[in-house]
Amino acid sequence: MTALGSIFRGRYEALFTNYKHDVLSAAIPEDLDGLTTPCWVVERFGKVDSLRSNALFVQTATRPINIVTAAAKKGVNFGGLQEFDLEKADTADAKILCDAITTTGHANEEAFLLSLVEPINAFFDNNMIMADDETVRYHRLSLANAVAQHILETGDFTKLEG
């Protein structure tokens, strides 16, 4: 985070005391560059605060974020949606999830995120993301990363407390 981002983060935390600390932490990105508007921050607070009451969504949203974060810490190689190859992911659940995140017309971001619950859970429940085959693992992690990035556009739900 830049110095300016750190200053703005501190100000947002001081200004918006009506939100719980975990909502603030989840809504304000770690890489805040300081060039965000208060309206944008308030919008993110509202979305995170609204979605936090849906325990199934929060549990589901943390799955791709956690696995991608853990893989990155271990130095496992993966890409994003541009590098994802459905054939190499070797699972039908990947196509369903990929189709779900690439549909256009996300007029209601919260409804879009909620629509991802079933495909994310099917993908994670029915497939070994950290497969032994490096090619399969790379492409499954690349899809998980693309999903995580979509979720992180709204907030980091791994930071919410019970």
Side-chain angles (χ1 to χ4, degrees):
M1 179 180 305
T2 66
L4 185 58
S6 182
I7 291 168
F8 273 85
R9 181 184 191 88
R11 292 305 306 146
Y12 289 137
E13 290 172 352
L15 287 171
F16 299 109
T17 57
N18 53 323
Y19 292 103
K20 292 184 176 187
H21 73 281
D22 61 334
V23 171
L24 293 169
S25 183
I28 301 174
E30 289 293 324
D31 59 349
L32 183 70
D33 62 11
L35 301 176
T36 59
T37 65
C39 291
W40 179 83
V41 173
V42 169
E43 186 177 319
R44 282 180 62 103
F45 288 157
K47 288 176 185 174
V48 170
D49 198 37
S50 172
L51 288 166
R52 78 172 291 143
S53 63
N54 186 324
L56 178 60
F57 170 76
V58 172
Q59 179 184 15
T60 300
T62 63
R63 293 178 88 175
I65 296 169
N66 284 338
I67 199 161
V68 167
T69 301
K73 284 181 182 175
K74 292 179 182 177
V76 177
N77 190 27
F78 58 89
L81 197 56
Q82 296 79 12
E83 294 82 16
F84 172 70
D85 183 332
L86 179 60
E87 294 296 321
K88 293 178 181 173
D90 194 33
T91 173
D93 295 311
K95 178 176 181 3
I96 295 167
L97 182 54
C98 184
D99 288 346
I101 65 169
T102 57
T103 57
T104 58
H106 308 230
N108 183 330
E109 190 174 346
E110 290 178 48
F112 166 69
L113 289 174
L114 291 171
S115 75
L116 296 179
V117 169
E118 189 174 317
I120 290 171
N121 283 332
F123 180 65
F124 277 84
D125 291 345
N126 300 329
N127 302 282
M128 177 63 71
I129 309 305
M130 298 299 286
D132 291 333
D133 182 298
E134 285 184 40
T135 301
V136 171
R137 180 178 57 235
Y138 176 87
H139 291 281
R140 289 180 183 177
L141 274 172
S142 294
L143 179 58
N145 185 39
V147 172
Q149 295 312 309
H150 273 287
I151 293 167
L152 289 168
E153 287 176 14
T154 297
D156 186 347
F157 294 90
T158 64
K159 295 184 177 183
L160 293 177
E161 298 171 0

